Structures are given as structure tokens and as C-alpha cells.
Amino acid sequence: MGILSKKDGKLITDPLTDNNPITIQVLGICSALAITAELKASLVMAIAVLFVMGVGNVVISLIRNLIPSKIRIIVQLIVVASLVIVVDQVLKAFAYELSKTLSVFVGLIITNCIIMGRFEAFALGNGPWRAFLDGIGNALGYGVILIIVGFFRELLGSGTLFGIPVLGDAIEKTGVYATGYENNGFMLMPPMALIIVGLLIWVQRSRNKDLIED
């Protein structure tokens, strides 16, 4: 018998595939548009949300029987805000330049629909272990899309990955630039992120016809 039962395993795998929070539930789109021009920023945001959702779901689950129903949203906001402050301070301490790039978007994790939705829909009704798996699964599903979008936007828009040139030197015209290739500046603009997400939605629904709404 494995560590995870089949039912628990689905809490991790479903958000990565046919119940992805961005491409299927269409949540958390704002950050996908705003911070994915650089792969590094996409990765850091994904890790930040992974921490906040994993720990936050466990905290909400542990205190679920102590939270008065009328103030549960306030309590959830306090929990997620506290965790976001931790993330923000860690970024400022160890990655200050990146923290300036992400700036307000780290704070907006507090109002991320995915996080508040999982607190309300799952953590309040399940034990800490399953709540943790649900938080990790949804955060991974969210993070994977951010990383995919960030990969294509930075590669095609700047010719770099993690700030490192991978297509050659655009000024000296080496690598693929020697063939006449030019970076597509449009890829760095927020509308392109929406187009890439749209393409991912199309691919996912093409693979699984059950996801297509009537």
C-alpha cells in the first residue's frame, strides 16, 4: 500500500490535469497575465503560492471547528495575509530585486480566488492531511501554468530563460538571430499571456472532450 490512497492521490493529480485551477476553473488569471513575462518571476510566484496554499489549508483545517461561521472569511483572510507577509519578507531578505519586480502582486496573493476558494470549499470540511494535499495539488496546477506561460513569453519575447541568453546575441546577430530572427516584443505584453492561456485551454479541451461545455 502506498503513502497515498487513490482518492488522496487525485487531490494532487486532478488539479494538474482535468481540474486545473487556471485552464478549467478559470481562476487566478490576473497573476498569469501580470508576472509571467519572466520565467524567474513565474517560478517564484508559483513557489510562494505553493507555500501559502499548503500551509494555509492545514491551518484552516486545524481550526475549522473553532471558527464561528459568521466570521470565517475574516479568519481565512487573516491566515492567508500572515503567510503572505512571511513570503514577502523572505523575498525582500534574499531576493530583493525580484521582490521589487513582483511588488504588489505578492500582496495580491491574499485575494487569489484559488486560495480563498480552497479554504472555503475544502479545508473547512476536511482533515489537515487531505487539506494539505488539496492545497499542494491546486498550487502545483496553478504553478505549472504560470511556468509554461513564463517560459514561452520570455523565450520568444526576450530570447532568454532566467535572464540567460539561449537563442544567441540579438545585437551581435549570433545564434538564431544570424538567420534574421527577431524577438517578438508583443510576447512581453499582458495580452499575450491571455492568448497563451487560451491556447492551453484549447489544447486541454481538445484532448478531453468531456471538458467542453454544451
Side-chain angles (χ1 to χ4, degrees):
M1 182 176 178
I3 298 176
L4 299 178
S5 67
K6 186 175 181 180
K7 186 176 181 181
D8 287 347
K10 283 185 171 294
L11 295 176
I12 298 289
T13 58
D14 281 0
L16 290 169
T17 54
D18 294 337
N19 195 26
N20 187 277
I22 292 183
T23 59
I24 302 302
Q25 300 176 40
V26 196
L27 300 174
I29 294 291
C30 296
S31 53
L33 302 182
I35 54 90
T36 53
E38 297 179 4
L39 183 56
K40 186 176 182 180
S42 302
L43 180 61
V44 171
M45 179 62 81
I47 294 172
V49 171
L50 183 68
F51 169 77
V52 172
M53 285 196 72
V55 176
N57 260 22
V58 171
V59 172
I60 293 298
S61 177
L62 287 171
I63 64 175
R64 67 188 188 280
N65 295 324
L66 303 176
I67 305 174
S69 178
K70 292 183 179 179
I71 63 167
R72 68 184 189 281
I73 300 299
I74 297 175
V75 173
Q76 292 168 22
L77 285 172
I78 291 173
V79 170
V80 70
S82 300
L83 293 171
V84 168
I85 289 172
V86 172
V87 170
D88 186 49
Q89 292 303 307
V90 169
L91 282 176
K92 286 180 178 177
F94 298 101
Y96 184 68
E97 290 301 319
L98 187 59
S99 74
K100 290 196 297 183
T101 300
L102 294 174
S103 62
V104 69
F105 301 110
V106 171
L108 288 177
I109 293 175
I110 297 171
T111 57
N112 191 308
C113 304
I114 301 170
I115 297 175
M116 296 301 295
R118 297 325 295 171
F119 283 1
E120 183 75 8
F122 199 90
L124 283 174
N126 291 272
W129 175 240
R130 300 196 76 233
F132 174 74
L133 294 177
D134 179 78
I136 294 297
N138 279 275
L140 288 174
Y142 167 85
V144 164
I145 300 301
L146 252 63
I147 291 169
I148 291 173
V149 175
F151 174 86
F152 285 107
R153 289 185 70 191
E154 182 177 354
L155 179 64
L156 301 179
S158 302
T160 63
L161 290 175
F162 293 108
I164 301 172
V166 295
L167 299 181
D169 191 314
I171 298 177
E172 298 294 332
K173 300 300 180 184
T174 61
V176 297
Y177 299 104
T179 66
Y181 175 83
E182 296 291 339
N183 292 326
N184 185 351
F186 183 51
M187 294 295 293
L188 302 177
M189 300 176 66
M192 199 61 222
L194 190 60
I195 292 173
I196 296 174
V197 170
L199 290 172
L200 292 174
I201 292 173
W202 172 69
V203 169
Q204 199 163 15
R205 281 164 168 72
S206 297
R207 290 177 58 251
N208 188 348
K209 302 299 183 182
D210 293 335
L211 298 175
I212 301 175
E213 296 86 355
D214 293 331

